[in-house]
Amino acid sequence: MPLPTDDAWHRDTLLVHAGRPAPLPGAPLNAPLEPASTFHAGGAVEYARDGTAGGAALESAMGALEDGIAVAFASGMAAASAILDLVPPGGVVVAPRTAYAGVSARLAELHARGHVEVRYVDVADTAAVGRAVEGAALLWLESPSNPMLHIADLPACTEAAHAAGAVVVCDSTFATPLLQQPLLMGVDVVLHSATKFIGGHSDALLGIVVTRDEGRADDLRLRRTILGAAPGSLESYLVLRGLRTLALRLRRSQDNALSIARRLQQVAADWGIRRVRYPGLVDDPGYERCQRLMNGPGGVLAVEFDDPELAQSMAERTSLWVHATSLGGVESLLERRRRWPAESPDVPEGLVRMSVGIEDPDDLWADLVEAVDRARGAGSTDPVPTQIVH
Ligand SMILES: *Cc1c(COP(=O)(O)O)cnc(C)c1O
């Protein structure tokens, strides 16, 4: 429910207070956990697949933060799939050549089955996006992109897409509502994998879509019910609890990421690092757009080693950094993305994605130095994953 004064509040305040139950005597401060699949007939919600009170509280907070109507899903992929379901049969989707691999896999599958036609572009190349959107139904952007940290010129791409009659989606997972406001730049639909920074503790899967179009929000809610993609009550609770501290966590994570990125640049020649990708570095191709369009570069960077074996071996030999997929948690995680057989061949073999947590940056750095030392004398031991991609 909208709060009486929320228009006047800054985002850091909304993070703490939006989506709470009405402040009545005896009412709890937090939306209660509600483990129920069904409800007594006659109320607003009758079955949990239509959404729960905890999910509605989270939606209210996210809607206030993005200034739109939020719809929560069971995961980022459930949300992405529901959005892609709205493309008419045979419609053209313009999509990034490298993006979150699950979304790319879903698009490839829809294309292979003849449901949609996909045109892939480098979304950092605005002119190429402008050419590709002719006749398209949907432009899918992801900025900053996973795992290459490309930054799209959101207003320019959106203008070109709208001129061509296409709907624009932006996966803003890396930015969160604090670092980027795609709806303010004209984007029609924003997607967040709240599994990442918004939840922030690597303990829940959840996805959120925000739009300003009521009809589209209704369509998305209907997809959610039909596909069975509503988030669980516990997940909604955990993510809303995580959201309360997003500003503090993200700031620390971002400070740490900049510190690690700079130190990696300093040892680049010695470690065989071809490139450090982080839009907070002045020589990064995304730096200018990040300064112009975002409130900060975020907490994820990617480091490209010349030698993929050294990259893999280093990732396996850290003691503090966790060798695991995913990102955006309080703990630092890293992985060589191409260890997943289905990751895009446009992602370099030696690229290690690093999600920088909120630990002490000196400890994080010392752990990387030790891991590289150990890796130089050893090879890879971990088996190649067999799942498609995460
Ligand atoms: C993780 C991720 C997703 C998918 O979210 P899940 O919650 O894992 O389903 C989508 N987009 C991006 C950019 C991601 O990092």
Side-chain angles (χ1 to χ4, degrees):
M1 82 221 62
L3 291 157
T5 51
D6 64 2
D7 277 355
W9 289 345
H10 294 94
R11 288 212 169 74
D12 283 21
T13 305
L14 285 175
L15 282 176
V16 177
H17 290 287
R20 292 192 185 276
L24 302 172
L29 267 74
N30 295 300
L33 244 180
E34 206 179 49
S37 58
T38 191
F39 300 81
H40 291 282
V45 175
E46 298 223 5
Y47 195 54
R49 186 147 42 73
D50 296 331
T52 60
L58 175 62
E59 287 170 346
S60 160
M62 283 299 299
L65 284 161
E66 290 279 21
D67 198 9
I69 309 160
V71 184
F73 286 83
S75 68
M77 277 308 298
S81 303
I83 297 169
L84 291 174
D85 249 25
L86 301 181
V87 178
V92 172
V93 179
V94 176
R97 198 160 280 136
T98 58
Y100 176 67
V103 171
S104 300
R106 179 68 182 143
L107 278 167
E109 189 180 69
L110 289 171
H111 180 87
R113 290 180 180 177
H115 295 324
V116 300
E117 189 193 319
V118 188
R119 287 181 199 152
Y120 295 99
V121 289
D122 171 0
V123 291
D125 181 345
T126 309
V129 172
R131 289 190 295 274
V133 290
E134 280 316 311
L138 187 87
L139 169 62
W140 188 283
L141 299 170
E142 185 179 292
S143 190
S145 77
N146 186 354
M148 302 285 271
L149 282 308
H150 290 148
I151 310 279
D153 188 332
L154 291 184
C157 290
T158 300
E159 202 183 316
H162 283 171
V167 171
V168 182
V169 178
C170 179
D171 183 336
S172 197
T173 296
F174 279 33
T176 83
L178 293 186
L179 300 183
Q180 177 167 276
Q181 296 277 296
L183 296 182
L184 285 182
M185 295 188 256
V187 166
D188 302 293
V189 180
V190 178
L191 167 66
H192 292 284
S193 168
T195 308
K196 314 295 170 56
F197 288 97
I198 292 175
H201 295 75
S202 308
D203 55 4
L205 285 175
L206 197 138
I208 292 165
V209 183
V210 195
T211 175
R212 287 183 175 167
D213 182 317
E214 284 185 24
R216 189 171 286 128
D218 287 343
D219 288 346
L220 287 163
R221 276 190 216 103
L222 182 61
R223 298 318 303 153
R224 178 174 72 178
T225 294
I226 288 173
L227 297 171
S233 179
L234 175 62
E235 282 72 15
S236 301
Y237 177 89
L238 288 170
V239 168
L240 183 52
R241 183 180 159 117
L243 187 72
R244 302 298 184 209
T245 54
L246 176 63
L248 295 174
R249 288 185 287 104
L250 190 61
R251 245 166 247 148
R252 171 68 175 211
S253 172
Q254 181 170 269
D255 288 349
N256 282 353
L258 185 60
S259 160
I260 297 293
R262 287 193 176 135
R263 293 192 225 197
L264 284 167
Q265 279 192 316
Q266 279 161 16
V267 299
D270 184 32
W271 288 13
I273 290 172
R274 200 172 288 169
R275 189 165 152 194
V276 180
R277 295 173 176 269
Y278 183 60
L281 295 170
V282 284
D283 52 357
D284 190 87
Y287 180 78
E288 179 275 328
R289 283 183 189 158
C290 179
Q291 293 286 307
R292 182 161 55 86
L293 304 173
M294 300 179 67
N295 299 320
V300 182
L301 61 97
V303 52
E304 245 177 84
F305 285 85
D306 284 327
D307 177 4
E309 270 183 47
L310 178 66
Q312 179 67 30
S313 177
M314 182 277 281
E316 292 169 15
R317 279 169 180 75
T318 52
S319 348
L320 175 58
W321 290 76
V322 182
H323 184 214
T325 199
S326 199
L327 54 101
V330 288
E331 65 291 306
S332 294
L333 304 183
L334 85 180
E335 70 168 334
R336 188 178 68 86
R337 280 302 298 174
R338 289 288 298 276
R339 77 192 176 94
W340 300 102
E343 178 59 277
S344 165
D346 290 310
V347 173
E349 280 280 1
L351 181 139
V352 175
R353 185 183 68 198
M354 307 176 82
S355 171
V356 188
I358 63 171
E359 301 95 333
D360 184 289
D362 291 340
D363 292 342
L364 290 173
W365 181 247
D367 191 47
L368 289 180
V369 171
E370 269 175 41
V372 168
D373 272 354
R374 284 189 214 120
R376 277 172 161 162
S380 164
T381 54
D382 283 10
V384 172
T386 50
Q387 298 86 338
I388 54 156
V389 70
H390 291 286

